[in-house]
Amino acid sequence: MSLPNRVTLVDVGPRDGLQNEKQPVSTEHKATLVHMLQDAGLKEIEVTSFVSPKWVPQMADNAEVMAAITRRPGVRYSVLTPNMKGLEAALPTKPDEIVVFAAASEAFSQKNINCSIAESIARFAPVVAAAHEAGIKVRGALSCALGCPYEGEISADQVERVVQLMKSIGVDHIGVADTIGVGTPRKVQAAMERALKHYPLVEVSGHFHDTYGQALSNIYACLELGVHTFDASVAGLGGCPYAKGATGNVATEDVLFMLNGLGIETGIDIDKLVDASAYISSALGRPPVARVARALLAKRAG
Ligand code: HMG
Ligand code: MG
């Protein structure tokens, strides 16, 4: 069995990670984090989200962050836009890609964005059309694809249904997201296979939260299917290490260490990535969650 030779890592730390931080993080820290990630070789960075600041106050400086970053040719900068209001606010900031998100679980859709799955798709349809009109690619995140905090098990049939809905409105890329980190390798493969029935390999990615410590195994399981794009969060940002049960995305450093060991190219420099991890962790006043960053920083200190 051969694994992909090359993998693209999308660092979602500035968005998915920092959105959960209760303490203020300055625009300057956010922009510097993006700069350090691109210095480390990341070619795709999810910078911020254009969502309601009442729901997610940490992302209220979205336009300021977009204005503060110095862009590097060849790097794709994406932002989350849940509705037309978000897209209209995002367009002047010139993102390369926007992200819309729907849930595989009806209950989660209601609790998270206050509407049914069908309503959320109807809300995204004009967002997708307007983004395409502006020449912007659209990524669709499929939340709770491996389990839901309210419904429990989510079947591959449920995943496929929403993948098809996303496809029907013209979403270009599907990110299969394990929002609560309960997926295990064979179940992840079953969900991915449903996405791959409707999208080519190059337009399917995995987004794994590491709540139950399964994310690296799940990424390996995806590699076995040929999937070669994964979201990850520098330092393992996200959730709160002091809040019971809440954790972030799999750490970019941890994924990179595994990929390096497998001889899979990413174009990312692990030492520079650890610098970015140390930088944002020190701004937040706590050590990185990433095991690899902790190990390499301890080695440096020694
Ligand atoms: P809505 O339908 O307008 O309803 O927004 P609302 O009652 O929630 O709106 C509240 C207020 O927000 C209103 O203002 C709106 O105008 C305003 P008010 O009239 O009270 O002054 N508003 C906005 N403001 C700025 N930008 C906007 C926007 N939209 C509305 N775009 C909506 C529904 C879903 C947009 C809203 O509830 C919201 O923004 N929720 C936040 C959702 C969110 O950011 N979730 C986290 C990101 S998703 C994620 O992390 C999962 C992912 O990582 C994959 C995975 O792991 O599963 C992607
Ligand atoms: Mg997420």
Side-chain angles (χ1 to χ4, degrees):
M1 172 221 345
S2 73
L3 302 180
N5 295 323
R6 204 181 159 83
V7 157
T8 300
L9 294 181
V10 182
D11 206 297
V12 298
R15 195 283 302 171
D16 202 1
L18 293 182
Q19 76 179 6
N20 291 303
E21 280 302 324
K22 297 286 175 275
Q23 59 176 306
V25 181
S26 72
T27 303
E28 196 193 331
H29 277 118
K30 292 171 183 169
T32 302
L33 175 61
V34 170
H35 294 152
M36 293 182 87
L37 290 172
Q38 62 194 20
D39 284 349
L42 268 298
K43 292 279 184 282
E44 296 203 32
I45 303 173
E46 206 169 279
V47 178
T48 186
S49 62
F50 287 83
V51 298
S52 165
K54 283 185 190 158
W55 281 58
V56 189
Q58 187 65 257
M59 298 284 110
D61 63 347
N62 40 33
E64 289 83 352
V65 175
M66 288 297 278
I69 59 175
T70 304
R71 298 190 197 199
R72 182 169 292 200
V75 177
R76 186 186 285 165
Y77 303 89
S78 58
V79 302
L80 227 72
T81 57
N83 53 15
M84 276 311 279
K85 185 166 181 160
L87 183 74
E88 277 156 15
L91 283 180
T93 74
K94 304 216 176 307
D96 300 302
E97 182 180 65
I98 60 145
V99 183
V100 295
F101 49 100
S105 140
E106 203 60 69
F108 190 80
S109 187
Q110 288 291 353
K111 301 255 185 197
N112 190 41
I113 51 177
N114 207 23
C115 64
S116 68
I117 295 171
E119 282 163 349
S120 71
I121 296 291
R123 188 185 287 174
F124 298 145
V127 177
V128 176
H132 283 163
E133 187 82 12
I136 296 173
K137 185 173 179 182
V138 181
R139 179 185 284 257
L142 181 45
S143 289
C144 290
L146 277 308
C148 165
Y150 311 106
E151 277 179 37
E153 289 273 325
I154 295 295
S155 68
D157 286 344
Q158 283 169 283
V159 171
E160 186 171 359
R161 179 185 153 234
V162 187
V163 168
Q164 284 175 292
L165 287 172
M166 293 256 206
K167 176 114 187 169
S168 73
I169 58 165
V171 168
D172 301 300
H173 177 108
I174 281 288
V176 175
D178 188 4
T179 313
I180 55 169
V182 293
T184 45
R186 295 286 175 247
K187 285 185 187 167
V188 166
Q189 287 180 336
M192 281 288 168
E193 274 162 355
R194 297 305 185 95
L196 290 167
K197 272 172 73 178
H198 305 280
Y199 282 86
L201 262 179
V202 65
E203 297 299 358
V204 173
S205 59
H207 175 111
F208 300 110
H209 286 258
D210 203 25
T211 321
Y212 289 81
Q214 303 301 304
L216 284 182
S217 321
N218 291 338
I219 288 174
Y220 193 88
C222 292
L223 293 172
E224 288 185 336
L225 298 181
V227 172
H228 51 79
T229 309
F230 301 97
D231 293 354
S233 219
V234 63
L237 292 178
C240 172
Y242 307 107
K244 210 175 163 188
T247 78
N249 293 93
V250 64
T252 316
E253 304 91 298
D254 293 356
V255 182
L256 181 60
F257 190 87
M258 178 177 80
L259 296 173
N260 285 348
L262 290 166
I264 295 174
E265 265 181 60
T266 59
I268 302 170
D269 180 308
I270 199 152
D271 290 313
K272 288 184 176 171
L273 183 62
V274 168
D275 292 341
S277 180
Y279 169 79
I280 192 63
S281 300
S282 120
L284 296 171
R286 57 169 193 261
V289 173
R291 304 272 184 90
V292 167
R294 284 172 180 253
L296 293 179
L297 288 168
K299 209 167 153 187
R300 280 185 195 176

